[in-house]
Amino acid sequence: MPTIDATIGGVSANSYVTLAEANAYFDSSYNRTAWTALVPVDATKSILLVEATRLIDTYFVFNGLPTSVDQALQWPRVDALDVNRETIADDVLPNELKNAVCEMAYHLLSNGGLTLNEIEFTKIKVSSIQLDFNTLTSSSGFPKNVKLMLSAFGSTTIVGASGITQARLVRT
């Protein structure tokens, strides 16, 4: 079982949320019984919180700069703004970030992890516009609620299944 280190700005920090904070979050959330039903409780919850933090740090580009070059995680940050466009102190983690970690952990628990799929074109037709995509199985990709919770602090590097970032047209 990983030991959670939620020290703000810590050199060995591995989670933005402590086990106690996550338990309190889910205790006050509606219909989140899967979290309290986990066995072994602390081991699995710790793994989920560490993985949720890792995924958020990997797939989000946050505004501002890390407070220290020695900190293990992306937060705390200098010159970061909150949802009201006010400066966040460089020794504070926004509640939205902590909530997003909890939601990401629950998503991992509920979906057996994170699956990121790419959709590719099989055909694109310009006259009378036609787009055909390869079919994929359902994806348990990055949850929209997590992206929305973190949207004031930066942007995700993941485009959803409904987003197209680039299409190459080839004349036939």
Side-chain angles (χ1 to χ4, degrees):
M1 170 176 97
T3 302
I4 290 181
D5 181 350
T7 305
I8 297 175
V11 296
S12 60
N14 59 6
S15 178
Y16 292 122
V17 180
T18 66
L19 198 51
E21 289 172 321
N23 288 335
Y25 179 85
F26 290 113
D27 285 346
S28 65
S29 298
Y30 177 72
N31 200 21
R32 298 302 181 89
T33 55
W35 184 261
T36 55
L38 283 173
V39 177
V41 175
D42 290 349
T44 305
K45 288 179 180 179
S46 295
I47 291 167
L48 289 167
L49 292 172
V50 168
E51 180 66 8
T53 298
R54 184 181 309 130
L55 289 168
I56 287 172
D57 266 11
T58 300
Y59 293 114
F60 274 82
V61 177
F62 293 107
N63 300 326
L65 298 169
T67 302
S68 165
V69 294
D70 296 326
Q71 69 189 52
L73 302 175
Q74 292 293 319
W75 284 85
R77 299 185 75 75
V78 176
D79 297 329
L81 303 175
D82 67 13
V83 295
N84 297 318
R85 310 309 296 160
E86 295 178 12
T87 302
I88 300 168
D90 63 5
D91 60 349
V92 170
L93 299 180
N95 285 330
E96 295 87 353
L97 174 64
K98 291 183 172 202
N99 294 346
V101 169
C102 292
E103 290 295 334
M104 188 72 212
Y106 200 84
H107 176 81
L108 294 171
L109 171 64
S110 302
N111 293 284
L114 181 71
T115 304
L116 301 175
N117 292 326
E118 292 182 24
I119 296 177
E120 296 179 358
F121 290 109
T122 56
K123 180 192 276 186
I124 185 168
K125 183 178 176 182
V126 175
S127 179
S128 300
I129 303 175
Q130 172 183 330
L131 301 173
D132 291 339
F133 297 94
N134 284 340
T135 57
L136 294 175
T137 59
S138 62
S139 170
S140 64
F142 226 84
K144 188 172 185 175
N145 63 334
V146 171
K147 289 191 263 188
L148 290 172
M149 288 176 169
L150 297 174
S151 64
F153 310 117
S155 60
T156 181
T157 59
I158 300 172
V159 177
S162 62
I164 299 171
T165 57
Q166 185 178 45
R168 190 176 92 193
L169 299 177
V170 178
R171 183 182 296 229
T172 58

